[in-house]
Structure formats: structure tokens, C-alpha cells
Amino acid sequence: MSLNNSVNVALIGAGRIGSFHAESVVYRLADANLAAIADPAPGTANQLAEKLGCSFATTDPKTVLSDPDIHAVIIATPARYHSNLVAAAAEAGKAVFCEKPMALTIEEANRAIDAAKSANVPLQVGFNRRWDKAFSEGHEAIANGQVGTPQLLRSLTRDPGPFGADPARIPNWTIFYETLIHDFDTLLWLNIGAKPVEVYAVADALIRPDFKEAGHLDTAVVTIRFDNGAIAVADANFSALYGYDVRGEVFGSEGMVTMGDARRSSMTLFNSQGVSCDTFRLDAHHFLDAYTAQLASFINTVRTGEVKGPGGEDARSALKIALACIQSVKIKAPVSLG
Amino acid sequence: MSLNNSVNVALIGAGRIGSFHAESVVYRLADANLAAIADPAPGTANQLAEKLGCSFATTDPKTVLSDPDIHAVIIATPARYHSNLVAAAAEAGKAVFCEKPMALTIEEANRAIDAAKSANVPLQVGFNRRWDKAFSEGHEAIANGQVGTPQLLRSLTRDPGPFGADPARIPNWTIFYETLIHDFDTLLWLNIGAKPVEVYAVADALIRPDFKEAGHLDTAVVTIRFDNGAIAVADANFSALYGYDVRGEVFGSEGMVTMGDARRSSMTLFNSQGVSCDTFRLDAHHFLDAYTAQLASFINTVRTGEVKGPGGEDARSALKIALACIQSVKIKAPVSLG
Amino acid sequence: MSLNNSVNVALIGAGRIGSFHAESVVYRLADANLAAIADPAPGTANQLAEKLGCSFATTDPKTVLSDPDIHAVIIATPARYHSNLVAAAAEAGKAVFCEKPMALTIEEANRAIDAAKSANVPLQVGFNRRWDKAFSEGHEAIANGQVGTPQLLRSLTRDPGPFGADPARIPNWTIFYETLIHDFDTLLWLNIGAKPVEVYAVADALIRPDFKEAGHLDTAVVTIRFDNGAIAVADANFSALYGYDVRGEVFGSEGMVTMGDARRSSMTLFNSQGVSCDTFRLDAHHFLDAYTAQLASFINTVRTGEVKGPGGEDARSALKIALACIQSVKIKAPVSLG
Amino acid sequence: MSLNNSVNVALIGAGRIGSFHAESVVYRLADANLAAIADPAPGTANQLAEKLGCSFATTDPKTVLSDPDIHAVIIATPARYHSNLVAAAAEAGKAVFCEKPMALTIEEANRAIDAAKSANVPLQVGFNRRWDKAFSEGHEAIANGQVGTPQLLRSLTRDPGPFGADPARIPNWTIFYETLIHDFDTLLWLNIGAKPVEVYAVADALIRPDFKEAGHLDTAVVTIRFDNGAIAVADANFSALYGYDVRGEVFGSEGMVTMGDARRSSMTLFNSQGVSCDTFRLDAHHFLDAYTAQLASFINTVRTGEVKGPGGEDARSALKIALACIQSVKIKAPVSLG
């Protein structure tokens, strides 16, 4: 496409995070245009389109993919539809941004990766943490050798509580497929050049034990061994009463970097109760700049062809760890990665 | 103007901060359009216009003001031209965003305020600190009574060093007119409803003592007493080797809030030297979000007519303190504000 | 003993930590008297006794135990002698403070515990972290229900580097027996009332891989599941280049507490490199107050009979986890605790 | 005195801080002995002596001074008696530790200094902040040139609130004589080698305005100019609801150090209210280690003759600033220091 024109972006899937991405396109990205919104739920696309001043709303993603004026799509549907949509969009010649997880099986992941390669379109995956200032500065410090060889790593995701969702409507293994997938990508990205060799996972239903028999898991701890000797731990929980807590730590032979802070600004209150700060309560607040930078990078990739963000292979690498976790929980033992 | 169209903004004065504002319009504001750039220095406007894809560049601000397609102007010239340009732009019916200080005398300030009132155009002044998250959260906490009645306040501005400017080219009293003016506005804004009654200022040329005789001042401390009893201190220095340092503190009968941190992210490095964080080295980095939010609010004001930011009266109130500081330094004694 | 007299304390084992404890008795405890020093290495006890003004030095611990003027002993020998000395001291009627680990097998631990019980003497074990202000405040917050039911816990020990010891002289499994034993006690203490049910440990020789075949381990990560559902992770490493790093974290249904900071004071330096703090480089510096409070509590126990610190049962509980870790590393699988 | 014996210390003045010092001698200093307590209020000395196991209590300080077994005295009476007692103790040949302020007039200060010199006894003054770890590390950094030449300094004292004292019983100008005297010493100590040349003070009764006419002052801000160009600000307030707040900041040509934190430990609580830490609520808690180190240094001086702490001249230098403050408040103008 011409570098002088605005990039026409279509959103597929107008749920919470999809709507947020659409708002980013409209309000926070100067050189992108929200050209279409598709969502199969009747009225959903229309409602968002009206709010955001977008003239093309549909319940059928295919009409979006067949529109030659659309340069790129943002896929933010439920995870089980991701890989098929990535493949269809790629085959239609669209640049693709897909929310995590890009796929739920290795076969799905392979198909999506192959489709993008065959169509020669960029494929970026929504590992937004890589665009956070603290995490990207940490990555740079590690790349510069400032912690030496990584030996102990930590990454965690604690979703803001109280947990109000209906456990019956959350697919089993979501904590690995959708939550910890972020941490797996983060650990793979921060432990530069290393490959995971063994995974051990424990998980439980500590917030809603009444749904444990139905397969609900809301708390998990994962140990990953890498081929450079480093040992990583990831943990997740669905109900952090203090807000959205995402942190990383890489300890190595020369030092350590830590990244992430739930405090939402430097404003600090001192009163008779002591010293306090308020926290981020939503991912969209915590990572507002990271989400914006992520899409800005994607838009730039659409314009220039230069891919900078995590792609299909990164999605597959993180997925492999998630799948090993599920296996580990099932067999209650560590699992080797081939 | 119609709420559905993009706001056409003209920049007058394409120096460092003006260019940065123009970039904000182009890259970070989705509903504004950089329609023109004026700068009397030959080639300056052209160069920036080319870089930012703006088709209208001129050395004559008047041609901008007479263009009916321009809805709003950003004035970022040297300070001595501000008030006249505010008046001219207002008289031309343009919404006005003016960098601080809006004026260098009370008469100038009055004229600018009156012109905007007569023309019924919004006039916003570049006290960007009000849009910083930490400062705005602090203001909200104070407004909510969380520190009780303010008793001791502090605001400081330490510009990033090393100081490399030519002191001979910096107008005398710049530390009060241009640097501490931010702190005066901050203190007036945070000490809600209070009026300053007395000012005492000391200032010196500690970075470049060789220019002291020529009137250069690079370090200053100001004490302000308010009619609610509160005592405020502002300080400034032109050469903070650790970066751009802006902090505020309000201590009251029920507690205290502190705002501002030179650390640029939560990324923290632990190594054989100890624990360290990197700092913001530029105002444009420290206050990137605040500068963007400031202009976004101005653009919104242009669209809706609802003024949210600091206006001409706020500029005049801060100026009064700056003028009292200059008087205090001259007479080496406290100065009463009428 | 009479409450009015100073407590006469004998040190058995005048190595690094023993000497430090002796100095605490002499310089930092007002109501204790260093009455004797025993160390089998010729000259060692003499040298320390001379330095500290203690008149009784010997190479034979038995002469100390048979001295009726000695009220209490501090056992700080190599770990393999601990349990026998505890038993002997108890049988001699002395109050006993024993460094960790109190024993290397459950049988040894049982014997020491039984001896103290039979002799009706207090037995306190050197889990000094319990006396650290941050950790004790964290424990109190947990006990008060401020984090709700614990779900995720973390405890870590990173010894100050660079690692300069000869790996050949460090007994195998030291990282579990001597280093992580602190973390196991901390986790048992902070997860109030819960019992460990399963342990999984991974460990490696990442600092000195050349000694891995000889059994050397310098990096370890341990996952512990408790009967209240909580999942804890402990990690350790022998070479933190940034100093002595001990931290704890307890996340629960109502919130989280974090404890521990390597920064040695609030003094913060801002310079052209950014913002920095120096760190604690030695356990004796990091935990100076905790070590002193630990012995003060022991001395008080000797005077009053009221036991406040961790005892033989606590030592045995932590040892059980260490033994399970060793088993887990050997079989490369999780180990159930009966 | 012999280096092998315990130092016999007498307390004169058994009020709050005197009693605390006595406890430090008894419980926290191993090589000092609380030999006597004198307080003119009937029963006061007796009560404390009984509690601390001290056998000599009296209402007459003279009987203490004439006792040849007493090596040193701690003077902790109301300030107006300090200088006379220093002189009397020195004349009796006792080493003297005197709480701040050592004197209320320059004449008094001179007399005390001269008496100690004539008697050749050590005289140390209770500027305990110098012994705080953060402040002493900050001083060391400044002495090592790490901030370059000081240009802007800050020192503050906010006493823990709520303020419950009877203003009628607090001598006028206490905020300068007793509170800010700490900050004056701190600033003189941190601005190494510089001399104050001008003082401007403002003060008010903001906590208890009903006592302002009676001369009560509970809030003050002081600006001090030094002969090296540095400008310092000290502030004080009697009612910090969040606890005891003591901070310092030295900004110079090469960087900045900050010192002091009201947080009482690294224990941090994250809950639905956000992130919080508890604070120090008492000077005796905030500066427990500093107070102990201060007396330990004094005891060491008594034993060795080597004076390390602040002496009579330091007390006089700080007093000069306090007196200039009082003058400045009276004349509402800056005051030159000769």
C-alpha cells in the first residue's frame, strides 16, 4: 500500500478487548482508519460502529475479508476461532493482528503460520507485554548483557478481582491458554535464545473450589527449565483484589532486572493509615500505552512491511508450553519438551 | 464547528516545543489535523511541514490567521510574542492554545484575556503539569479533602543537565517567567481556592557564575504565603544531571500527597553497583502522555466549547507571582501581593 | 536462674556466624555475658575470646557443658554436629540456641527435640528471618486476616556474590539443608496452620557447572503444595552480584503482602547514570537487628522460661521439606509428604 | 578511665527522651552502666531507677556531679537548664552528652563550650540525625563529591500528629529552638565547609491558630543562603497525621542525594484499597538505631577520648540560625549572619 494513505483496519470480534482495540484505532492512532467491524452477534458490530463513527458493520467476517479496501484485520474473537480467521484473512491478502492465543493446537498454529507465509502477509500476535516500557527496557538490559546469563526467571499475571465471572462459561484450561500464555511468551522473549526443555505445572480452583470438579482452574504455578540451565517460574490467579498485577524478574550471573508495578502513578498519599498508592484495576489502564504502541507497530508493519512484533512462531512457542502444562497437570509430573 | 470533522490546527512558532506539539497533532491525536505551520525564520516552517506531511507552510502568521479553514492555533513562539499573537488569533476567531508564559506583563495578560473574551474563543495555556496522571490524581485527592487544609506545599522544576545553552541568549528572569511559572501555576492549582499574599525569592547564577553580572540566574528558591495560611516553596535549577525532575508535595492538616518521580519506568536493575533505575531526560519523554492529553483536551474544547484546561486568568495569576519574585530579588525582601 | 543476674552464655563453634553471635552477646545485648567459647580448632576459641574479653576458651565443648555457671549455649558448629550437641547441652541442663539446620535427618531431629523436652530446657533454632521487622509485620498482617486465605507464596534466598567458595568443600545438598531451609521455615510460618503435602524441586550447578558431576548444586527452585490449597515457590542461588537478597510474598483471597528489600537504607543517589541505592552485601548487615532481636528473645527465654522463637519442631518441619526436595531432585518428580 | 571497665553514666532529667536514653544505656549498650538518675520532680528519678534496676536516684543533680564514680552524664532536662548543667558537669570533670538545644543564647553556648574546653572533657550534643544510616550515607556521598557542589538543600521535620499538647505550655519559638535546630545542624553538616550568610523565616500557628496571639508557632519555613551559593530550605510542622517524617535532600552540580523515609519497613500490603505501608509514629522508633549509635559513640568517646559526634561548636552554629529565624519572623525580612 502507499505510505501516504491511512491504513484501513477491520475489527473481527467486537467483545471487550476488540472494542478497546477499535477505540485505539479511532482515538489513539493517527494513521489508521477503522474501516469495518464484524461480529456474528446481531447488533454488536452495529452498536460499536455507531459509537466510533465507522460506516461498515456486519455480522459476517467474510464480507470484510472480501473487501479490497481493507488493508488489515484485527482478530479478537473467542480463541477457538482465531486460527481459522488468521488463515482466511491471510488468504484474502490482509495483514493480520491476532489476539492471543493464536491457536489452541499445534496443528492450528501451523496452519495459521503457513497461511500467512504463503500469502506473504504480516502476522502479529497480541503479546502486548512486549510493548510495555518497563518490560521492553528490561529486555534491552538483558540483551545488553547487564544481567549476564539468566539463571532464575519469574513472570506472573494476577487478574483484577473480585472474580465475578461464571466459571461454567470459562473454557477448561483457560488459565494456561489465555492467561499464562502471556507469561510463557514473556519468559521465552526474556531468556534470549534459550529453548524450554521441561515443564511442571500445578493448578487448582482456589477461588471457586465448587467448580473444581467441572475442570475449573483459577490458580496455577508453572516451572520451566531451559536449555541454558535457567529455571523459570510463572504464576497466575484470577482474583487479585488489589488490581491488575503483572511482573517479571530475570536473575542472572551478573545481576537482576525486575519489571512491573501495580501502582498506577507516582502519586502517594500519606495519612493516618500510613502511606498508600492506588493501583491499576484494568489491563486497559495498566497497558494503555503498551496496547497503543502494539497496534502502532502493527500499523507501521502494514505500511512498511517491516515486522517488529511477535509473530506466529512466537505464538506457537508459547502454546507448546501451555500444552505441556495441561499434560503436566493431568499426569501430575514434569513433561519434557521434545 | 461540526463535531464530525477533524479540527484544523495551525502551529505558530516551529521551535523545539512547537515542533513537538505539531508531532502530537499528527501522530498522537486522531481527531485533529495539522493544517498550517508559520514561523518567521526562513525555511523553518517548510522543513517541519515537509517532515509531517503538512501542505501549508509560511513565514507570516497573518496568512494563517486569515485562513477561514483554520479552527485553532497553537502559539509556541518566543514568550515576548505570545500575548500579541493570542490577541490577534482571538480577533481572527481562532481557538487559542498558548504556551507558557502567556504574557510578560499584567497589561499584556489583560489584553490577551480581553481579546479572547470579546471574540468568545477558548483560550488555553500550556501548564501541562495539570495533565500529568500523578499531579491530577494529587489534585483530586486534595479536592476530596484527603490532606485536609494545606499548610506546607512544595513544587520544583529541575531541567535536565548538563546545561549547554549560551547564558547570553537567555533573557533575564527566564527562571521565573518560563521555568518557575509552571510551579506557580501548580501551587495555585493545588492550594485550591487560596490566594497568594506574599512572595520572597532568592536566586543566583550557580551553574554559570561568570554570567551573573549580566543578569543570568539559573537557581532560585521562592517562598509564597497564601491567605489560607499555607506556606509554599518552589525551587528551580537549570542543570539536573540526573534528568528532568518535577515534583510536588502538599502537606495538610489530615495528611500529605507527593507527586512526581524522575524514574522513567518500573524497570529496575540490580548489579554489583547496587540498585538502579534510569530517569527521564527530556520533558517530552517525562510528560509525553500529559502533553498529549493537554492538546487532546484543547481539541475537545474546540469541538465542544467546554473549556477544561487552565486559561488566561490562570496565566495571569501565575505571572503575578513571577513578577513579585523579580521584585523580591531586586529589593532583597518579601513582596506583598495586593 | 535469677532474673536479676546476667545470663551466662557459652558459644560452641567459633566460625563466621558463631563469632558474629558472640559479638552480639558482648556488644549488643545488655543482659547477657559471654562466659565461654569452645571450638575444636586449636587457637580459634582463644583468639575470639581475647578479642571479646572472654576469660574461658577451650577446644573441648564438654568442659563448657559441665560448667555449672553456664546457663545457655549457642551452637554454631558445622551442621553435622548440631543435633548431638543439642542433645548433650540439653542433658547438661543448658538452654540451647542452635543454628539452622538443627539436624540432617528426622532421627537426629527427634533425638534433639526429645532431649530438650526430657531436660525441660528451652530449645530455639536460628530461623532469624522471623525477627526481621518486615517479615514479622507481614506475619502479623497475615495472622490478622489482611490477605485472606493464602493462595500463592514466595520466599527466596540469594546469597551475596561473587561466589568464591570452593565447591568441593561444600557438602552436597547444602542449598536445601542450609540455604532454603530458611525459606521452608518462612513459608511454614507465613502459611499459618497449613501443612505441606507435596514438594517438587529442581536444582542445578549454574554458577559452577564444572562441579555438577561431583554433586554441587548452587541454584534451586522448589514448589510446595499445602493442605489449604496454597502453592508456594522458593528459590535460591549462591551468587547474587547485587548483594544479599531475601524476599517473601504471600498472595491470598483478600490481598498480598511483600517483604524484604536489598536496599540498605533510604539514601538514594541521583546522578548522570540515573537513580541508585546501595544494597546489603552481608547477612550480618541485612539482618543485624533481626539477629540481635533473635538472641535477645533467646536470652529472655532463658530468664523467664517463656519460649517465643521457633523450636525443635519447627526445625523438623522445615527439614522434612528439605529432605523431600533432595528426593525430588533424585527421582525428577514430585514427592508426597505423608 | 580504664578501657576495660564499663562506663558509669548518670542521667539528669528523667522525662520522655531522658528515660529513653536511660533505657538505651541499660538495654542496648553493652559497655555502659546506668549509675544514677537525677530529676528534681519528686519520685520521677526513683520510679525510673526502680524500673531499670538503677540503685542511685536523686532529686539533686549536684549529688550526681560530685560522685567520683560517675564518668559521664546525659543531660535531658528542659532546654533552659542545659547550658548551666553542661558547665557544671564539665567543671565536675564528667564527660557530657547534652540533648539539643545545648543553649538558648550565644552567651550560654559560649559558656558551655568554654567550660568543657577548660575541663578537657568531651562534650557531645544530641543531633541524632547524624547517626541515622540514610543520613550518614548521604553525608558520605556528598563528602565523596558524588553530588558535586551543593546548590539546593532541603531538610524537614514533621512531628507525629495529632498534636495533643497544650500550646500554653510550649515555650515561644520552640519550633526554631527545639525542632528546626535539628534541620539547621543537618544542613550545616551536609553542606560541608559552607557557612550560612542569610536567613529568612516565616512561621505561623496553623494547627492551633487560637494560640497565635500568645506567640504559639507550629509551622515554619526557613530559607538559608550559604557562602558557597547554596540555598537551603527547612520546614517543620507539629502535626503530621501520617507519623514522624524526617527527610533531607542535597542537590548539586553533579547530582542529588535524598535521605529519609517515613515507611517503617519494607512490608507492603496490597489490598482492595491499593498499596500501603505503615509508618514510623515515634522518633524513638524511627531513630532507634540512630539513638543507640549516638550513645554508643559517646560511650566510646568517654573510653577513648576520641570525639566523633557533634560538639558544642556545632550546637552554637545551629543556634545562630535559630536566633536569626526568630529575628527574621519579628522583622518580617531576611537577616544577615555576621
Side-chain angles (χ1 to χ4, degrees):
Chain A
M1 63 167 296
S2 156
L3 286 175
N4 294 325
N5 294 334
S6 199
V7 173
N8 288 327
V9 180
L11 172 71
I12 302 179
R16 189 185 70 89
I17 195 70
S19 301
F20 173 74
H21 286 321
E23 288 174 10
S24 292
V25 170
V26 171
Y27 298 132
R28 288 180 287 273
L29 293 178
D31 53 356
N33 174 44
L34 183 66
I37 301 174
D39 194 295
T44 298
N46 271 325
Q47 203 173 342
L48 184 63
E50 193 162 339
K51 181 181 159 198
L52 297 179
C54 170
S55 55
F56 180 2
T58 173
T59 55
D60 184 2
K62 277 183 221 134
T63 62
V64 163
L65 296 183
S66 62
D67 183 336
D69 288 342
I70 304 287
H71 306 113
V73 296
I74 294 173
I75 298 171
T77 63
R80 63 189 179 279
Y81 304 122
H82 283 179
S83 61
N84 277 344
L85 283 166
V86 169
E91 285 155 13
K94 311 305 185 198
V96 182
F97 176 89
C98 183
E99 261 302 329
K100 35 72 20 187
M102 185 189 69
L104 300 179
T105 68
I106 298 301
E107 296 69 34
E108 281 180 16
N110 288 342
R111 216 193 120 216
I113 293 167
D114 291 347
K117 270 194 192 147
S118 300
N120 197 26
V121 295
L123 166 57
Q124 184 175 323
V125 177
F127 292 133
N128 61 305
R129 221 163 280 184
R130 294 198 188 193
W131 308 99
D132 177 69
K133 273 205 302 181
F135 277 87
S136 67
E137 290 176 5
H139 180 265
E140 192 185 344
I142 295 163
N144 290 340
Q146 293 187 268
V147 306
T149 304
Q151 296 175 341
L152 291 167
L153 297 95
R154 186 188 197 205
S155 179
L156 64 84
T157 304
R158 313 256 176 88
D159 285 325
F163 179 71
D166 177 1
R169 303 193 52 179
I170 299 174
N172 282 358
W173 311 113
T174 285
I175 199 165
F176 297 114
Y177 280 131
E178 305 218 19
T179 308
L180 283 160
I181 199 91
H182 275 300
D183 302 280
F184 302 150
D185 178 65
T186 299
L187 293 167
L188 289 164
W189 174 59
L190 293 178
N191 193 5
I192 300 171
K195 296 212 175 325
V197 294
E198 192 180 84
V199 170
Y200 176 68
V202 294
D204 211 335
L206 300 181
I207 302 164
R208 292 298 300 269
D210 48 332
F211 279 81
K212 187 173 179 181
E213 288 215 355
H216 173 70
L217 296 171
D218 49 38
T219 306
V221 172
V222 177
T223 305
I224 306 168
R225 304 188 73 166
F226 287 87
D227 62 359
N228 65 343
I231 309 165
V233 175
D235 79 55
N237 180 282
F238 286 174
S239 187
L241 280 214
Y242 54 89
Y244 187 50
D245 185 9
V246 168
R247 282 176 282 152
E249 176 177 321
V250 179
F251 172 93
S253 56
E254 302 295 326
M256 174 172 70
V257 293
T258 58
M259 298 149 282
D261 190 345
R263 290 167 184 84
R264 74 180 187 189
S265 85
S266 64
M267 200 281 275
T268 306
L269 177 66
F270 296 69
N271 63 16
S272 60
Q273 305 301 305
V275 186
S276 61
C277 288
D278 207 345
T279 50
F280 290 111
R281 305 291 172 152
L282 283 178
D283 53 356
H285 292 171
H286 196 321
F287 287 127
L288 180 62
D289 287 347
Y291 278 123
T292 304
Q294 174 183 250
L295 282 188
S297 178
F298 173 63
I299 296 302
N300 201 50
T301 291
V302 178
R303 299 170 80 88
T304 66
E306 192 187 356
V307 181
K308 294 211 170 165
E313 285 84 357
D314 297 293
R316 185 171 54 197
S317 297
L319 175 65
K320 280 182 185 168
I321 297 179
L323 295 170
C325 287
I326 295 170
Q327 176 73 354
S328 177
V329 169
K330 286 177 177 169
I331 68 172
K332 297 175 192 283
V335 169
S336 286
L337 293 174
Chain B
M1 62 167 297
S2 157
L3 286 174
N4 294 325
N5 295 334
S6 199
V7 173
N8 289 327
V9 180
L11 172 70
I12 301 179
R16 189 184 69 89
I17 195 70
S19 300
F20 173 74
H21 287 321
E23 288 173 11
S24 292
V25 171
V26 172
Y27 298 132
R28 289 180 288 273
L29 293 179
D31 52 357
N33 175 44
L34 183 66
I37 302 174
D39 193 295
T44 299
N46 270 325
Q47 203 173 341
L48 183 63
E50 193 161 339
K51 181 181 160 198
L52 298 179
C54 171
S55 55
F56 180 2
T58 174
T59 55
D60 183 3
K62 277 185 219 132
T63 62
V64 163
L65 297 183
S66 61
D67 183 335
D69 288 342
I70 304 287
H71 306 113
V73 296
I74 294 173
I75 298 171
T77 63
R80 63 189 178 279
Y81 305 121
H82 284 180
S83 61
N84 278 344
L85 284 166
V86 169
E91 284 156 13
K94 312 304 185 197
V96 182
F97 176 88
C98 182
E99 261 304 329
K100 35 73 17 187
M102 186 190 69
L104 299 179
T105 67
I106 298 301
E107 295 69 32
E108 282 180 15
N110 289 342
R111 216 193 121 217
I113 293 166
D114 291 347
K117 271 192 191 149
S118 300
N120 198 24
V121 296
L123 165 58
Q124 183 175 324
V125 177
F127 292 134
N128 62 306
R129 222 163 280 185
R130 294 198 188 194
W131 308 99
D132 177 70
K133 273 205 302 179
F135 278 86
S136 66
E137 290 176 5
H139 180 264
E140 193 184 344
I142 296 163
N144 290 340
Q146 293 188 267
V147 306
T149 305
Q151 296 175 342
L152 291 167
L153 297 96
R154 186 189 197 205
S155 179
L156 64 85
T157 304
R158 313 255 175 89
D159 285 325
F163 179 70
D166 177 0
R169 303 193 52 179
I170 299 174
N172 282 358
W173 310 114
T174 286
I175 200 164
F176 297 114
Y177 280 131
E178 305 218 19
T179 308
L180 283 160
I181 199 92
H182 275 301
D183 302 279
F184 302 151
D185 178 65
T186 299
L187 293 167
L188 289 164
W189 175 59
L190 294 178
N191 193 6
I192 300 172
K195 296 212 174 324
V197 294
E198 192 180 84
V199 170
Y200 175 69
V202 294
D204 210 336
L206 300 182
I207 302 164
R208 293 298 301 267
D210 47 333
F211 279 81
K212 187 172 179 182
E213 287 216 355
H216 173 69
L217 296 171
D218 49 38
T219 307
V221 173
V222 178
T223 306
I224 306 167
R225 304 188 74 166
F226 286 86
D227 62 0
N228 64 344
I231 307 165
V233 176
D235 79 55
N237 181 282
F238 285 174
S239 187
L241 281 215
Y242 54 91
Y244 187 49
D245 186 8
V246 168
R247 282 175 283 153
E249 176 178 320
V250 178
F251 172 94
S253 56
E254 302 296 325
M256 174 171 70
V257 292
T258 59
M259 298 149 282
D261 191 344
R263 290 168 185 83
R264 74 180 186 187
S265 85
S266 64
M267 200 280 275
T268 306
L269 177 65
F270 297 69
N271 64 16
S272 60
Q273 306 301 306
V275 186
S276 61
C277 288
D278 207 346
T279 51
F280 290 111
R281 305 291 171 153
L282 283 177
D283 54 356
H285 293 171
H286 196 323
F287 287 129
L288 180 63
D289 287 347
Y291 278 123
T292 304
Q294 174 183 249
L295 282 189
S297 178
F298 174 64
I299 296 302
N300 201 51
T301 290
V302 178
R303 299 171 80 88
T304 65
E306 192 187 357
V307 181
K308 293 211 170 165
E313 284 85 357
D314 297 294
R316 184 171 54 196
S317 297
L319 176 64
K320 280 182 185 168
I321 296 179
L323 294 170
C325 287
I326 294 169
Q327 176 73 353
S328 177
V329 168
K330 286 177 178 168
I331 67 172
K332 297 175 191 282
V335 169
S336 286
L337 293 173
Chain C
M1 64 169 295
S2 157
L3 287 174
N4 294 326
N5 293 335
S6 199
V7 173
N8 289 326
V9 180
L11 171 71
I12 301 179
R16 188 184 70 89
I17 195 69
S19 300
F20 172 75
H21 286 321
E23 288 173 12
S24 292
V25 171
V26 172
Y27 299 132
R28 289 180 288 273
L29 294 178
D31 53 356
N33 174 44
L34 183 67
I37 301 174
D39 193 294
T44 298
N46 270 326
Q47 202 172 342
L48 183 64
E50 193 162 338
K51 180 181 161 199
L52 297 179
C54 170
S55 55
F56 179 4
T58 172
T59 55
D60 183 3
K62 277 184 221 133
T63 62
V64 163
L65 297 184
S66 62
D67 183 336
D69 288 341
I70 305 287
H71 306 113
V73 296
I74 294 173
I75 298 171
T77 63
R80 63 189 179 278
Y81 304 122
H82 284 179
S83 62
N84 277 344
L85 283 166
V86 170
E91 284 156 13
K94 311 304 185 198
V96 182
F97 177 89
C98 183
E99 260 304 329
K100 37 73 14 187
M102 186 189 70
L104 300 179
T105 67
I106 299 300
E107 296 69 32
E108 281 181 16
N110 289 342
R111 216 192 123 218
I113 293 166
D114 291 347
K117 270 193 193 149
S118 300
N120 198 24
V121 295
L123 166 57
Q124 184 175 325
V125 177
F127 292 134
N128 61 307
R129 221 163 281 185
R130 295 198 186 193
W131 309 99
D132 176 70
K133 272 205 302 179
F135 278 86
S136 66
E137 290 176 7
H139 181 263
E140 192 183 346
I142 296 163
N144 290 340
Q146 294 187 266
V147 305
T149 305
Q151 296 175 342
L152 291 167
L153 297 96
R154 187 189 196 203
S155 179
L156 64 84
T157 304
R158 313 255 176 89
D159 284 325
F163 179 70
D166 177 0
R169 304 193 51 178
I170 299 174
N172 282 358
W173 310 113
T174 286
I175 200 164
F176 297 113
Y177 280 132
E178 306 219 19
T179 308
L180 282 160
I181 199 92
H182 275 301
D183 301 279
F184 302 149
D185 179 65
T186 298
L187 293 168
L188 289 163
W189 176 58
L190 294 178
N191 194 6
I192 301 171
K195 295 211 175 325
V197 293
E198 192 180 85
V199 170
Y200 176 69
V202 294
D204 211 335
L206 300 181
I207 302 164
R208 292 299 300 268
D210 49 332
F211 279 82
K212 187 173 178 182
E213 288 216 355
H216 173 70
L217 296 171
D218 48 40
T219 307
V221 173
V222 178
T223 306
I224 307 167
R225 303 188 75 167
F226 286 87
D227 62 0
N228 65 344
I231 307 166
V233 175
D235 80 54
N237 180 282
F238 286 174
S239 187
L241 281 214
Y242 54 90
Y244 187 49
D245 185 9
V246 169
R247 282 175 283 153
E249 176 178 320
V250 178
F251 172 94
S253 56
E254 302 296 326
M256 174 171 71
V257 293
T258 59
M259 300 148 281
D261 191 345
R263 290 167 184 83
R264 74 180 187 190
S265 84
S266 65
M267 199 282 274
T268 306
L269 177 66
F270 296 68
N271 64 15
S272 60
Q273 305 302 305
V275 186
S276 61
C277 288
D278 207 344
T279 51
F280 290 111
R281 306 291 172 152
L282 284 178
D283 54 355
H285 292 171
H286 196 322
F287 288 128
L288 180 62
D289 286 348
Y291 277 123
T292 304
Q294 174 183 249
L295 282 188
S297 177
F298 173 64
I299 297 301
N300 201 51
T301 291
V302 178
R303 299 170 81 88
T304 66
E306 191 187 359
V307 180
K308 294 211 170 165
E313 284 85 357
D314 297 292
R316 184 170 56 195
S317 296
L319 175 64
K320 280 181 185 171
I321 297 178
L323 294 169
C325 287
I326 293 169
Q327 176 72 354
S328 178
V329 169
K330 286 177 178 168
I331 67 172
K332 297 175 192 283
V335 169
S336 286
L337 293 174
Chain D
M1 66 168 293
S2 156
L3 286 174
N4 296 325
N5 294 336
S6 200
V7 173
N8 289 327
V9 180
L11 172 71
I12 301 179
R16 189 185 69 89
I17 195 70
S19 300
F20 173 74
H21 286 321
E23 287 173 12
S24 292
V25 170
V26 171
Y27 298 132
R28 289 180 287 273
L29 294 178
D31 53 357
N33 175 44
L34 183 66
I37 301 174
D39 193 294
T44 298
N46 270 326
Q47 203 173 340
L48 183 64
E50 192 161 337
K51 181 182 159 198
L52 297 179
C54 170
S55 56
F56 180 3
T58 173
T59 54
D60 183 3
K62 277 186 219 131
T63 62
V64 163
L65 296 183
S66 61
D67 183 336
D69 289 342
I70 305 287
H71 306 113
V73 296
I74 294 172
I75 298 171
T77 63
R80 64 188 179 277
Y81 305 122
H82 284 179
S83 61
N84 277 344
L85 282 165
V86 170
E91 284 155 13
K94 311 304 185 198
V96 182
F97 176 88
C98 183
E99 260 305 328
K100 35 70 22 184
M102 186 191 70
L104 299 180
T105 67
I106 298 300
E107 295 69 34
E108 281 180 17
N110 289 341
R111 216 192 122 215
I113 292 166
D114 291 347
K117 271 194 193 150
S118 299
N120 197 25
V121 295
L123 165 58
Q124 184 176 324
V125 176
F127 292 133
N128 61 307
R129 221 162 280 184
R130 296 197 187 194
W131 308 99
D132 176 69
K133 272 204 304 179
F135 278 87
S136 66
E137 290 176 5
H139 181 264
E140 193 184 344
I142 296 163
N144 290 340
Q146 294 187 267
V147 305
T149 305
Q151 297 175 343
L152 291 167
L153 298 95
R154 187 189 197 203
S155 178
L156 65 83
T157 305
R158 313 255 176 89
D159 284 327
F163 179 71
D166 177 0
R169 303 193 52 178
I170 298 174
N172 283 358
W173 310 113
T174 285
I175 199 165
F176 297 114
Y177 281 132
E178 306 218 17
T179 308
L180 282 160
I181 198 91
H182 275 301
D183 301 280
F184 302 150
D185 178 65
T186 298
L187 292 167
L188 289 163
W189 176 59
L190 294 177
N191 193 6
I192 301 172
K195 296 213 175 324
V197 293
E198 192 180 83
V199 170
Y200 176 68
V202 294
D204 211 336
L206 299 181
I207 302 164
R208 292 298 299 269
D210 48 332
F211 279 80
K212 187 172 177 181
E213 287 216 355
H216 173 69
L217 296 171
D218 48 39
T219 307
V221 172
V222 177
T223 305
I224 306 167
R225 302 187 76 166
F226 286 87
D227 61 0
N228 64 344
I231 309 166
V233 175
D235 80 53
N237 179 282
F238 286 174
S239 186
L241 280 215
Y242 53 90
Y244 187 50
D245 185 8
V246 169
R247 282 176 282 153
E249 177 178 321
V250 178
F251 172 93
S253 55
E254 302 296 325
M256 174 172 70
V257 293
T258 59
M259 299 148 282
D261 190 344
R263 289 168 184 83
R264 75 180 184 189
S265 85
S266 65
M267 199 282 274
T268 306
L269 177 65
F270 297 68
N271 63 16
S272 59
Q273 306 301 305
V275 186
S276 61
C277 288
D278 208 344
T279 51
F280 290 112
R281 305 291 172 153
L282 283 178
D283 54 355
H285 292 170
H286 196 322
F287 288 127
L288 180 62
D289 287 347
Y291 277 123
T292 305
Q294 174 183 251
L295 282 188
S297 177
F298 173 64
I299 296 301
N300 201 50
T301 291
V302 178
R303 298 171 80 87
T304 66
E306 191 187 358
V307 180
K308 294 211 168 165
E313 284 84 357
D314 297 293
R316 184 170 56 194
S317 297
L319 175 64
K320 280 182 186 169
I321 297 178
L323 294 169
C325 288
I326 294 169
Q327 176 72 354
S328 177
V329 169
K330 285 178 177 169
I331 67 171
K332 296 175 193 283
V335 169
S336 286
L337 293 174

